[in-house]
Amino acid sequence: MAQKYRIYINEKVILITESEPKHADNFEKLDAETFDLKIIYTWILANPNKLFYIKTANAKVYFKAVKKSITLIEAAGGLVKNTKGQYLFIYRNDKWDLPKGKIEKEEGVKEAAVREVEEECGIKVSELNEKICKTYHVYVNRGEVVLKKTHWYAMKSKAKDKLKPQKEEGITDVRWFEKEHIEPIIDNTFPSIMDVLHKEKLVTNKVMPLSE
């Protein structure tokens, strides 16, 4: 099966693939030989297109080289389900999001995921389950274009925990949502979060915003 990797820049995506994407006419092709994520970042932000792709013979090797060419920041977070079957979301920067944060020095990935969820939402994680997926997005950190790799885990928490948004991190709301009532999330979240929801089958009957 052909390998594919996604790098998100806000609402936009760069698809690294070994084959032409479906609906290729909707994508703008980038040159694999001259591609430099740090240089092209500003150009992509200004470009009216949302979908870009790089075709390469070995997507895994190419993506590994891309990661080596830029500062990589590792983060971890979780999709939390309570005993009522509801899912936990935070509201930050005018978007619905999932709790996550940077992995501290000498901290394990799973440990960081649990800590960030508990700190940002004011809950206690009662169970840490399987890893859902990894997502990658580019942003500017202290004037430097960086790539953030986020490890996502499925978690459980008791519904009786009182929610408390970590306001110093810009979180203004924390809320439980029924699976059947996550339309506000789908309509106002990041494509990378949609990837997580899609992996957990919370989004099945909608086209992902940046699907290839």
Side-chain angles (χ1 to χ4, degrees):
M1 186 176 178
Q3 293 287 329
K4 295 178 183 178
Y5 299 91
R6 296 182 185 203
I7 300 174
Y8 290 102
I9 300 176
N10 292 347
E11 304 293 330
K12 305 183 179 191
V13 67
I14 301 170
L15 180 68
I16 299 174
T17 177
E18 295 171 3
S19 59
E20 294 288 325
K22 295 177 184 177
H23 313 296
D25 290 345
N26 296 330
F27 285 75
E28 183 166 345
K29 189 174 184 179
L30 303 176
D31 183 50
E33 295 294 326
T34 60
F35 179 77
D36 186 318
L37 191 51
K38 290 179 289 188
I39 293 173
I40 207 169
Y41 171 77
T42 304
W43 178 83
I44 284 183
L45 284 179
N47 194 305
N49 292 331
K50 286 190 173 184
L51 306 174
F52 304 85
Y53 79 100
I54 297 169
K55 186 179 177 183
T56 178
N58 191 321
K60 183 177 181 179
V61 170
Y62 190 90
F63 185 49
K64 187 175 181 180
V66 169
K67 289 188 289 183
K68 283 187 175 181
S69 72
I70 190 170
T71 299
L72 183 70
I73 294 176
E74 297 220 36
L79 177 63
V80 186
K81 184 179 181 180
N82 67 20
T83 51
K84 294 181 179 179
Q86 300 168 319
Y87 292 88
L88 186 65
F89 292 90
I90 64 172
Y91 196 75
R92 173 165 48 194
N93 297 329
D94 298 321
K95 291 275 190 182
W96 286 106
D97 203 346
L98 292 173
K100 65 182 181 301
K102 286 195 294 186
I103 300 171
E104 303 292 346
K105 287 184 178 180
E106 300 181 3
E107 184 179 36
V109 177
K110 293 180 180 180
E111 181 185 357
V114 171
R115 175 184 56 77
E116 286 291 343
V117 167
E118 292 183 342
E119 288 179 355
E120 293 194 345
C121 303
I123 65 166
K124 193 72 178 174
V125 173
S126 59
E127 189 176 319
L128 176 67
N129 294 319
E130 74 282 353
K131 180 182 280 190
I132 300 170
C133 64
K134 292 175 286 188
T135 59
Y136 295 85
H137 75 274
V138 185
Y139 66 104
V140 175
N141 181 46
R142 298 177 182 176
E144 180 187 9
V145 177
V146 299
L147 178 65
K148 179 176 278 188
K149 172 185 179 181
T150 305
H151 304 260
W152 295 103
Y153 289 88
M155 302 180 185
K156 289 185 179 178
S157 180
K158 296 178 181 178
K160 66 180 182 180
D161 286 345
K162 185 177 180 181
L163 302 178
K164 183 181 179 182
Q166 191 178 20
K167 293 185 178 179
E168 58 268 32
E169 289 294 326
I171 302 168
T172 56
D173 195 7
V174 182
R175 200 179 301 179
W176 293 108
F177 283 84
E178 302 281 351
K179 180 179 178 179
E180 297 78 14
H181 300 132
I182 62 169
E183 289 296 324
I185 307 297
I186 294 171
D187 293 338
N188 186 29
T189 192
F190 299 101
S192 57
I193 299 302
M194 290 291 285
D195 274 355
V196 180
L197 301 183
H198 191 266
K199 285 281 187 182
E200 285 296 281
K201 296 182 171 55
L202 293 183
V203 180
T204 55
N205 60 345
K206 276 191 174 255
V207 176
M208 294 174 65
L210 296 179
S211 64
E212 71 274 11

